[in-house]
Amino acid sequence: MALREPASGSLAEVVPGLGGNVARFRTLVGGRPIEVIGAPPDLATLRALPTRYGAGVLFPYPGRVGGDGFDFQGRRVDLPPDPATNNAMHGLARRRAWRVTGMGASPEAGAWVTTEIATREEAVSAAEWPFPFRLSLRIALRGGRLRSDVTVANTGGAAMPFGLGFHPYIPTPLGPRGEADACEVGIDATERWQDFVDPPATVTPIREDEWPRRPLPLADIAPVRRSAAGIVRNATFFRRGRDRGRGATGRLIDRANGVEAVVTCSPEFPAMVFYTPPGIATASLEPHTCIPNAFNLTGAGLPDPGLVVLAPGAAWHGWYTLHAAPLRRPAVG
């Protein structure tokens, strides 16, 4: 399903049948077409690897859950292992078909589509996730920006814990010039979280002159793993306190092409995960509502990891945007 905004030269391709994934986003920057989301080579690849291309939805938990489960309000919740990783990872939403509930376009609202997935309508079993929910997503192109507004409704009779994330992949570089390793990544965060899947976790404050608050080229960011397939980089951050009017912000800066891609979030997304996959020239700046494995991190003497607990009948809302813009240049003199 294609969304087009002729005024900005923007195109987004949404695949409701594969997790509501935004498989492509292209826009004009300075009159040049820029691919802002790394598209899969084909739908079969996206089906097999729904969080390796495009911008997948991670729900009801982003990242890996330690021990493939958690305890919540006196009950044990065991989660099924993902077929690709053999552990509980990224939740069920990205592998299921979503229903289209509306679409439209106008000069004022841009082009948009709404999709949703609900446990009852889609026959999601309690073994997959024991808390009934309805997840609605409005994806819109307006002013050359891609915006995703999300609503989570608890349709069950008990409190529901959850985490939500998005997994947008940004091509490196953002144009025909330069190299991936020269692209810089910066994230406005105050804490770095490590070793949280198999606690004890460590939480380290980030200084203003330290990465990721100070952008660094990919070549200078330490990998977590090297293999024949390529380099993997992975780091998790949290933005706490300073300005509650917004959540985490991430930037991918491409000086060779004079373009930057920017991820902005509502305050409901204080966490951000940075990831580069092996063998694919992309970088993911993932807005999350919580630290991965937040189910098992609450009450552990750590800072609040951001787990959301939604009362029966209640709804939760948040949003994130992705756009590309000419790179800001410092003033001279």
Side-chain angles (χ1 to χ4, degrees), residues 74-152:
R75 67 187 292 188
R76 177 65 184 175
V77 177
D78 292 311
L79 300 171
D82 183 78
T85 61
N86 203 33
N87 51 53
M89 185 85 169
H90 288 334
L92 61 91
R94 76 198 197 283
R95 291 192 179 277
R96 283 187 167 262
W98 293 44
R99 293 182 296 113
V100 175
T101 57
M103 65 185 73
S106 71
E108 297 76 24
W112 54 272
V113 61
T114 56
T115 64
E116 72 173 29
I117 179 173
T119 50
R120 293 194 174 106
E121 286 86 339
E122 303 304 324
V124 175
S125 71
E128 289 181 272
W129 184 249
F131 305 97
F133 68 83
R134 184 178 304 278
L135 175 62
S136 304
L137 184 62
R138 184 182 191 274
I139 300 166
L141 278 180
R142 186 181 180 208
R145 291 176 180 248
L146 178 73
R147 173 163 168 151
S148 295
D149 286 85
V150 60
T151 300
V152 179

Coordinates of all heavy atoms in Angstrom, one line a residue, residues 74-152:
G74 N 1.7 -11.6 40.8 CA 1.5 -12.9 41.3 C 1.3 -14.1 40.3 O 1.0 -15.2 40.7
R75 N 1.5 -13.8 39.0 CA 1.4 -14.8 38.0 C 2.6 -14.9 37.2 O 3.4 -13.9 37.0 CB 0.2 -14.6 37.1 CG 0.3 -13.3 36.2 CD -0.9 -13.0 35.4 NE -1.3 -13.9 34.4 CZ -2.2 -13.8 33.5 NH1 -2.9 -12.7 33.5 NH2 -2.5 -14.7 32.6
R76 N 2.9 -16.1 36.7 CA 4.1 -16.3 35.8 C 3.6 -16.3 34.4 O 2.6 -16.9 34.0 CB 4.7 -17.7 36.1 CG 5.9 -18.0 35.2 CD 7.0 -17.1 35.4 NE 8.1 -17.4 34.4 CZ 9.2 -16.7 34.3 NH1 9.4 -15.6 35.1 NH2 10.2 -16.9 33.5
V77 N 4.3 -15.5 33.6 CA 4.0 -15.3 32.2 C 5.1 -15.9 31.4 O 6.2 -15.3 31.4 CB 3.7 -13.9 31.8 CG1 3.5 -13.7 30.3 CG2 2.6 -13.3 32.6
D78 N 4.9 -17.0 30.7 CA 6.0 -17.6 29.9 C 5.7 -17.2 28.4 O 4.5 -17.2 28.0 CB 5.9 -19.1 30.0 CG 6.4 -19.6 31.3 OD1 7.5 -19.1 31.8 OD2 5.7 -20.4 32.0
L79 N 6.7 -16.8 27.7 CA 6.6 -16.3 26.3 C 7.2 -17.3 25.3 O 8.2 -17.9 25.6 CB 7.3 -15.0 26.2 CG 6.7 -13.9 27.2 CD1 7.6 -12.6 27.1 CD2 5.3 -13.5 26.8
P80 N 6.6 -17.4 24.2 CA 7.1 -18.3 23.2 C 8.4 -17.8 22.5 O 8.5 -16.6 22.3 CB 6.0 -18.4 22.1 CG 5.3 -17.1 22.2 CD 5.4 -16.7 23.7
P81 N 9.4 -18.7 22.2 CA 10.6 -18.2 21.5 C 10.3 -17.8 20.1 O 9.4 -18.4 19.4 CB 11.5 -19.4 21.6 CG 10.6 -20.6 21.7 CD 9.4 -20.1 22.5
D82 N 10.9 -16.8 19.6 CA 10.8 -16.4 18.2 C 11.5 -17.4 17.3 O 12.6 -17.9 17.7 CB 11.4 -15.0 18.0 CG 11.2 -14.5 16.6 OD1 10.1 -14.0 16.3 OD2 12.2 -14.5 15.8
P83 N 10.9 -17.7 16.2 CA 11.5 -18.7 15.3 C 12.9 -18.3 14.8 O 13.7 -19.2 14.5 CB 10.5 -18.9 14.2 CG 9.7 -17.7 14.2 CD 9.6 -17.3 15.6
A84 N 13.2 -17.0 14.7 CA 14.4 -16.6 14.1 C 15.6 -16.6 15.1 O 16.7 -16.7 14.8 CB 14.3 -15.2 13.4
T85 N 15.2 -16.4 16.4 CA 16.2 -16.2 17.4 C 16.2 -17.3 18.5 O 17.1 -17.3 19.3 CB 16.1 -14.8 18.1 OG1 14.8 -14.8 18.7 CG2 16.2 -13.7 17.1
N86 N 15.1 -18.0 18.6 CA 15.0 -19.1 19.6 C 14.9 -18.6 21.0 O 15.2 -19.3 21.9 CB 16.1 -20.2 19.5 CG 15.6 -21.5 20.1 OD1 14.5 -21.8 20.0 ND2 16.6 -22.2 20.6
N87 N 14.5 -17.3 21.1 CA 14.2 -16.8 22.5 C 13.1 -15.7 22.3 O 12.7 -15.3 21.2 CB 15.4 -16.1 23.1 CG 16.1 -15.2 22.2 OD1 15.5 -14.2 21.7 ND2 17.4 -15.4 22.0
A88 N 12.4 -15.3 23.4 CA 11.4 -14.4 23.3 C 11.9 -13.0 22.9 O 12.8 -12.4 23.6 CB 10.7 -14.2 24.7
M89 N 11.5 -12.5 21.7 CA 12.1 -11.4 21.1 C 11.1 -10.6 20.3 O 10.4 -11.1 19.5 CB 13.2 -11.9 20.1 CG 14.1 -10.8 19.5 SD 15.4 -10.3 20.6 CE 16.4 -9.3 19.5
H90 N 11.0 -9.3 20.7 CA 10.2 -8.3 19.9 C 8.7 -8.5 19.8 O 8.1 -7.7 19.1 CB 10.8 -8.2 18.5 CG 12.2 -7.5 18.4 ND1 12.6 -6.6 19.3 CD2 13.1 -7.6 17.4 CE1 13.8 -6.2 18.9 NE2 14.2 -6.8 17.8
G91 N 8.2 -9.5 20.4 CA 6.7 -9.6 20.4 C 6.1 -10.2 19.2 O 6.8 -10.5 18.2
L92 N 4.8 -10.3 19.2 CA 4.0 -11.0 18.2 C 3.6 -10.1 17.0 O 3.2 -10.6 15.9 CB 2.8 -11.7 18.8 CG 1.8 -10.8 19.5 CD1 0.7 -10.4 18.6 CD2 1.2 -11.6 20.7
A93 N 3.5 -8.8 17.2 CA 2.8 -7.9 16.3 C 3.5 -7.9 14.9 O 2.8 -7.8 13.9 CB 2.7 -6.5 16.8
R94 N 4.8 -8.0 14.9 CA 5.5 -7.8 13.7 C 5.4 -9.0 12.7 O 5.7 -8.8 11.5 CB 7.0 -7.6 13.9 CG 7.8 -8.8 14.3 CD 9.1 -8.5 15.0 NE 10.0 -9.5 15.1 CZ 10.0 -10.6 15.9 NH1 9.0 -10.6 16.8 NH2 10.9 -11.5 15.9
R95 N 4.9 -10.1 13.2 CA 4.8 -11.3 12.3 C 3.3 -11.6 11.9 O 3.1 -12.6 11.2 CB 5.4 -12.5 13.0 CG 6.9 -12.5 13.1 CD 7.5 -13.8 13.5 NE 8.9 -13.8 13.6 CZ 9.8 -13.9 12.6 NH1 9.3 -14.1 11.4 NH2 11.1 -13.9 12.8
R96 N 2.4 -10.8 12.4 CA 1.0 -11.0 12.1 C 0.4 -10.0 11.1 O 0.9 -8.9 11.0 CB 0.2 -11.0 13.4 CG 0.3 -12.3 14.2 CD -0.6 -12.2 15.4 NE -0.7 -13.6 16.0 CZ -1.6 -14.5 15.8 NH1 -2.6 -14.2 14.9 NH2 -1.6 -15.6 16.4
A97 N -0.7 -10.4 10.4 CA -1.3 -9.5 9.5 C -2.2 -8.5 10.3 O -2.8 -8.8 11.3 CB -2.2 -10.3 8.6
W98 N -2.1 -7.2 9.9 CA -2.9 -6.2 10.5 C -4.1 -5.8 9.5 O -4.0 -6.0 8.3 CB -2.1 -4.9 10.7 CG -1.0 -5.0 11.7 CD1 -0.1 -6.1 11.9 CD2 -0.7 -4.1 12.7 NE1 0.7 -5.8 12.9 CE2 0.4 -4.6 13.5 CE3 -1.2 -2.8 13.1 CZ2 1.0 -3.9 14.5 CZ3 -0.6 -2.1 14.1 CH2 0.5 -2.6 14.8
R99 N -5.2 -5.3 10.1 CA -6.3 -5.0 9.3 C -6.3 -3.5 9.0 O -6.0 -2.7 9.9 CB -7.6 -5.3 10.0 CG -7.8 -6.8 10.2 CD -9.2 -7.1 10.9 NE -9.2 -6.6 12.2 CZ -10.0 -5.7 12.7 NH1 -10.8 -5.1 11.8 NH2 -9.9 -5.3 13.9
V100 N -6.6 -3.1 7.7 CA -6.7 -1.7 7.4 C -8.1 -1.2 7.8 O -9.1 -1.8 7.4 CB -6.5 -1.5 5.8 CG1 -6.8 -0.1 5.4 CG2 -5.1 -1.9 5.4
T101 N -8.1 -0.1 8.6 CA -9.4 0.4 9.1 C -9.7 1.7 8.5 O -10.8 2.2 8.7 CB -9.3 0.5 10.6 OG1 -8.2 1.3 11.0 CG2 -9.2 -0.9 11.2
G102 N -8.8 2.4 7.7 CA -9.1 3.6 7.1 C -8.0 4.1 6.3 O -6.8 3.7 6.5
M103 N -8.2 5.1 5.4 CA -7.2 5.7 4.6 C -7.7 7.0 4.0 O -8.9 7.2 3.9 CB -6.6 4.8 3.5 CG -7.6 4.4 2.4 SD -7.0 3.2 1.3 CE -7.0 1.7 2.3
G104 N -6.8 7.9 3.6 CA -7.2 9.1 3.0 C -6.1 10.0 2.7 O -4.9 9.7 2.9
A105 N -6.4 11.1 2.0 CA -5.4 12.1 1.7 C -6.0 13.4 1.5 O -7.2 13.5 1.0 CB -4.7 11.7 0.4
S106 N -5.4 14.5 1.9 CA -5.8 15.9 1.7 C -4.6 16.8 1.9 O -3.6 16.4 2.5 CB -6.9 16.2 2.7 OG -6.3 16.4 4.0
P107 N -4.7 18.0 1.3 CA -3.6 18.9 1.5 C -3.3 19.3 2.9 O -2.2 19.5 3.3 CB -4.1 20.2 0.7 CG -5.1 19.7 -0.3 CD -5.8 18.5 0.4
E108 N -4.3 19.3 3.8 CA -4.1 19.6 5.2 C -3.6 18.4 6.0 O -2.7 18.6 6.8 CB -5.5 20.0 5.8 CG -6.1 21.3 5.2 CD -6.8 21.0 3.8 OE1 -7.1 19.8 3.6 OE2 -6.9 22.0 3.0
A109 N -4.1 17.2 5.8 CA -3.7 16.1 6.6 C -2.6 15.2 6.0 O -2.1 14.4 6.6 CB -4.9 15.2 6.9
G110 N -2.3 15.5 4.7 CA -1.3 14.6 4.0 C -2.0 13.3 3.6 O -3.2 13.2 3.5
A111 N -1.1 12.3 3.4 CA -1.6 11.0 3.0 C -1.5 10.1 4.3 O -0.5 10.1 4.9 CB -0.9 10.4 1.9
W112 N -2.5 9.2 4.5 CA -2.5 8.4 5.8 C -3.2 7.1 5.6 O -4.1 7.0 4.7 CB -3.1 9.2 6.9 CG -4.5 9.7 6.7 CD1 -4.8 10.9 6.1 CD2 -5.7 9.1 6.9 NE1 -6.2 11.0 6.0 CE2 -6.7 9.9 6.5 CE3 -6.0 7.8 7.5 CZ2 -8.1 9.5 6.6 CZ3 -7.3 7.4 7.6 CH2 -8.4 8.3 7.2
V113 N -2.9 6.2 6.5 CA -3.6 4.9 6.5 C -3.6 4.5 8.0 O -2.7 4.8 8.8 CB -2.9 3.8 5.7 CG1 -1.5 3.6 6.2 CG2 -3.7 2.5 5.7
T114 N -4.7 3.9 8.5 CA -4.8 3.4 9.8 C -5.0 1.9 9.7 O -5.7 1.3 8.9 CB -6.0 4.0 10.6 OG1 -7.2 3.7 9.8 CG2 -5.8 5.5 10.8
T115 N -4.2 1.2 10.6 CA -4.3 -0.3 10.7 C -4.4 -0.7 12.1 O -4.1 0.1 13.0 CB -3.0 -0.9 10.1 OG1 -1.9 -0.5 10.8 CG2 -2.8 -0.5 8.6
E116 N -4.8 -1.9 12.4 CA -4.9 -2.4 13.8 C -4.7 -3.9 13.8 O -5.0 -4.6 12.9 CB -6.1 -1.9 14.5 CG -7.4 -2.6 14.0 CD -8.6 -2.2 14.9 OE1 -8.6 -1.0 15.4 OE2 -9.5 -3.0 15.0
I117 N -4.4 -4.3 15.0 CA -4.4 -5.7 15.4 C -5.0 -5.9 16.7 O -4.7 -5.1 17.6 CB -2.9 -6.3 15.3 CG1 -2.9 -7.8 15.7 CG2 -2.0 -5.5 16.2 CD1 -1.6 -8.5 15.5
A118 N -5.8 -6.9 16.9 CA -6.5 -7.1 18.2 C -6.4 -8.6 18.5 O -6.6 -9.4 17.6 CB -7.9 -6.6 18.2
T119 N -6.3 -8.9 19.8 CA -6.1 -10.3 20.2 C -7.3 -11.1 19.8 O -7.2 -12.3 19.4 CB -5.8 -10.4 21.7 OG1 -6.7 -9.6 22.4 CG2 -4.4 -9.9 22.0
R120 N -8.5 -10.6 20.1 CA -9.7 -11.4 19.9 C -10.0 -11.6 18.4 O -10.2 -12.7 17.9 CB -10.9 -10.7 20.5 CG -10.8 -10.7 22.1 CD -12.1 -10.4 22.8 NE -12.0 -10.5 24.2 CZ -11.9 -9.5 25.1 NH1 -11.9 -8.3 24.6 NH2 -11.8 -9.7 26.4
E121 N -9.9 -10.5 17.6 CA -10.2 -10.6 16.1 C -9.2 -11.5 15.4 O -9.5 -12.2 14.5 CB -10.3 -9.3 15.5 CG -11.5 -8.5 15.8 CD -11.4 -7.7 17.1 OE1 -10.6 -8.0 17.9 OE2 -12.2 -6.7 17.3
E122 N -7.9 -11.4 15.9 CA -6.9 -12.2 15.2 C -6.6 -13.5 15.9 O -5.6 -14.2 15.5 CB -5.6 -11.3 15.2 CG -5.7 -10.0 14.5 CD -6.3 -10.0 13.1 OE1 -5.9 -11.0 12.4 OE2 -7.1 -9.2 12.7
A123 N -7.4 -13.9 16.8 CA -7.2 -15.2 17.5 C -5.8 -15.4 18.1 O -5.2 -16.4 17.9 CB -7.6 -16.3 16.6
V124 N -5.3 -14.3 18.7 CA -4.0 -14.5 19.4 C -4.2 -15.3 20.7 O -5.0 -15.0 21.5 CB -3.4 -13.1 19.8 CG1 -2.2 -13.2 20.6 CG2 -3.2 -12.2 18.5
S125 N -3.5 -16.3 20.8 CA -3.7 -17.3 21.9 C -3.1 -16.7 23.2 O -2.1 -15.9 23.2 CB -3.1 -18.6 21.6 OG -1.7 -18.6 21.6
A126 N -3.6 -17.2 24.3 CA -3.0 -16.8 25.6 C -1.6 -17.2 25.8 O -0.8 -16.7 26.5 CB -3.9 -17.3 26.7
A127 N -1.2 -18.3 25.0 CA 0.2 -18.8 25.1 C 1.2 -17.8 24.4 O 2.3 -17.7 24.8 CB 0.3 -20.1 24.4
E128 N 0.6 -17.0 23.4 CA 1.5 -16.0 22.8 C 1.6 -14.8 23.7 O 2.6 -14.1 23.8 CB 0.9 -15.6 21.5 CG 1.1 -16.7 20.4 CD 0.5 -16.2 19.1 OE1 -0.7 -16.4 18.8 OE2 1.2 -15.6 18.3
W129 N 0.4 -14.3 24.2 CA 0.3 -13.2 25.1 C -1.0 -13.2 25.9 O -2.1 -13.2 25.2 CB 0.4 -11.9 24.3 CG 0.4 -10.6 25.1 CD1 -0.6 -9.7 25.1 CD2 1.5 -10.2 26.0 NE1 -0.2 -8.7 26.0 CE2 1.0 -9.0 26.5 CE3 2.7 -10.7 26.3 CZ2 1.8 -8.2 27.4 CZ3 3.5 -10.0 27.2 CH2 3.0 -8.8 27.8
P130 N -1.0 -13.3 27.2 CA -2.2 -13.6 27.9 C -3.1 -12.4 28.3 O -4.1 -12.5 29.0 CB -1.6 -14.2 29.2 CG -0.3 -13.6 29.4 CD 0.2 -13.3 28.0
F131 N -2.7 -11.2 27.8 CA -3.4 -10.0 28.1 C -4.1 -9.4 26.8 O -3.4 -9.0 25.9 CB -2.5 -8.9 28.7 CG -1.7 -9.4 29.9 CD1 -0.4 -9.8 29.7 CD2 -2.2 -9.3 31.1 CE1 0.4 -10.2 30.8 CE2 -1.5 -9.7 32.2 CZ -0.2 -10.2 32.1
P132 N -5.4 -9.5 26.8 CA -6.1 -9.0 25.6 C -5.8 -7.5 25.3 O -5.8 -6.7 26.2 CB -7.6 -9.2 25.9 CG -7.6 -10.3 26.9 CD -6.4 -10.0 27.8
F133 N -5.7 -7.2 24.0 CA -5.4 -5.8 23.7 C -5.9 -5.5 22.3 O -6.2 -6.4 21.5 CB -3.9 -5.5 23.7 CG -3.1 -6.2 22.6 CD1 -3.0 -5.7 21.3 CD2 -2.5 -7.5 22.9 CE1 -2.3 -6.4 20.3 CE2 -1.7 -8.1 21.9 CZ -1.7 -7.6 20.6
R134 N -5.9 -4.2 22.0 CA -6.1 -3.7 20.6 C -5.1 -2.6 20.4 O -4.9 -1.7 21.1 CB -7.5 -3.0 20.5 CG -7.8 -2.6 19.0 CD -9.2 -2.0 18.9 NE -10.2 -3.0 19.4 CZ -10.7 -3.9 18.6 NH1 -10.3 -4.1 17.3 NH2 -11.6 -4.8 19.1
L135 N -4.3 -2.8 19.3 CA -3.2 -1.9 18.9 C -3.5 -1.3 17.6 O -3.7 -1.9 16.6 CB -1.9 -2.7 18.8 CG -0.6 -2.0 18.3 CD1 -0.3 -0.9 19.3 CD2 0.5 -3.0 18.2
S136 N -3.7 0.1 17.6 CA -4.0 0.8 16.4 C -2.9 1.7 16.0 O -2.2 2.3 16.9 CB -5.3 1.7 16.7 OG -6.3 0.9 17.2
L137 N -2.7 1.8 14.7 CA -1.5 2.6 14.2 C -2.0 3.5 13.1 O -2.7 3.0 12.1 CB -0.4 1.6 13.7 CG 0.9 2.2 13.2 CD1 1.6 3.0 14.3 CD2 1.8 1.1 12.7
R138 N -1.7 4.8 13.1 CA -2.0 5.7 12.1 C -0.6 6.1 11.5 O 0.2 6.8 12.2 CB -2.8 6.9 12.5 CG -3.2 7.9 11.4 CD -3.9 9.1 12.0 NE -4.5 9.9 10.9 CZ -3.9 10.9 10.3 NH1 -2.7 11.2 10.6 NH2 -4.6 11.6 9.4
I139 N -0.4 5.8 10.2 CA 0.8 6.2 9.5 C 0.5 7.3 8.5 O -0.4 7.1 7.7 CB 1.4 4.9 8.8 CG1 1.7 3.8 9.8 CG2 2.7 5.3 8.1 CD1 2.0 2.5 9.2
A140 N 1.2 8.4 8.6 CA 0.9 9.5 7.8 C 2.2 10.1 7.2 O 3.2 10.2 7.8 CB 0.2 10.6 8.6
L141 N 2.0 10.7 6.0 CA 3.0 11.5 5.3 C 2.5 12.9 5.3 O 1.4 13.2 4.8 CB 3.3 11.1 3.9 CG 4.2 9.9 3.6 CD1 4.3 9.7 2.1 CD2 5.6 10.2 4.2
R142 N 3.2 13.8 5.9 CA 2.8 15.2 5.9 C 4.0 16.1 6.0 O 4.8 16.0 6.9 CB 1.8 15.5 7.1 CG 1.2 16.9 7.1 CD 0.3 17.2 8.3 NE -0.2 18.5 8.2 CZ -0.6 19.2 9.3 NH1 -0.4 18.7 10.5 NH2 -1.1 20.4 9.1
G143 N 4.1 17.0 5.1 CA 5.2 17.9 5.0 C 6.6 17.2 4.9 O 7.6 17.7 5.4
G144 N 6.6 16.1 4.2 CA 7.8 15.3 4.0 C 8.2 14.5 5.2 O 9.3 13.9 5.2
R145 N 7.4 14.5 6.3 CA 7.7 13.7 7.5 C 6.8 12.4 7.5 O 5.6 12.5 7.2 CB 7.5 14.5 8.7 CG 8.4 15.6 8.9 CD 8.1 16.5 10.1 NE 9.1 17.5 10.3 CZ 9.9 17.6 11.3 NH1 9.9 16.7 12.3 NH2 10.8 18.6 11.4
L146 N 7.4 11.4 8.0 CA 6.7 10.1 8.2 C 6.4 10.1 9.7 O 7.3 10.2 10.6 CB 7.5 8.9 7.9 CG 6.9 7.6 8.2 CD1 5.8 7.3 7.2 CD2 8.0 6.5 8.1
R147 N 5.1 10.0 10.1 CA 4.7 10.0 11.4 C 3.8 8.8 11.7 O 2.9 8.5 11.0 CB 3.9 11.3 11.8 CG 3.3 11.3 13.2 CD 2.9 12.6 13.7 NE 2.1 12.5 14.9 CZ 2.0 13.4 15.9 NH1 2.8 14.5 15.8 NH2 1.3 13.3 16.9
S148 N 4.1 8.1 12.8 CA 3.3 7.0 13.3 C 2.7 7.3 14.6 O 3.5 7.5 15.6 CB 4.2 5.7 13.4 OG 4.7 5.4 12.1
D149 N 1.4 7.4 14.7 CA 0.7 7.5 16.0 C 0.1 6.2 16.4 O -0.5 5.5 15.5 CB -0.5 8.5 15.8 CG 0.0 10.0 15.7 OD1 0.4 10.4 14.6 OD2 0.0 10.7 16.7
V150 N 0.3 5.8 17.6 CA -0.1 4.5 18.1 C -1.0 4.6 19.3 O -0.7 5.5 20.2 CB 1.1 3.6 18.3 CG1 2.0 4.2 19.4 CG2 0.8 2.2 18.7
T151 N -2.0 3.7 19.4 CA -2.8 3.6 20.5 C -2.9 2.2 21.0 O -3.1 1.3 20.1 CB -4.3 4.1 20.2 OG1 -4.2 5.5 19.8 CG2 -5.2 4.0 21.5
V152 N -2.7 2.0 22.3 CA -2.8 0.6 22.8 C -4.0 0.7 23.8 O -4.0 1.5 24.7 CB -1.5 0.2 23.6 CG1 -1.7 -1.2 24.2 CG2 -0.3 0.3 22.7

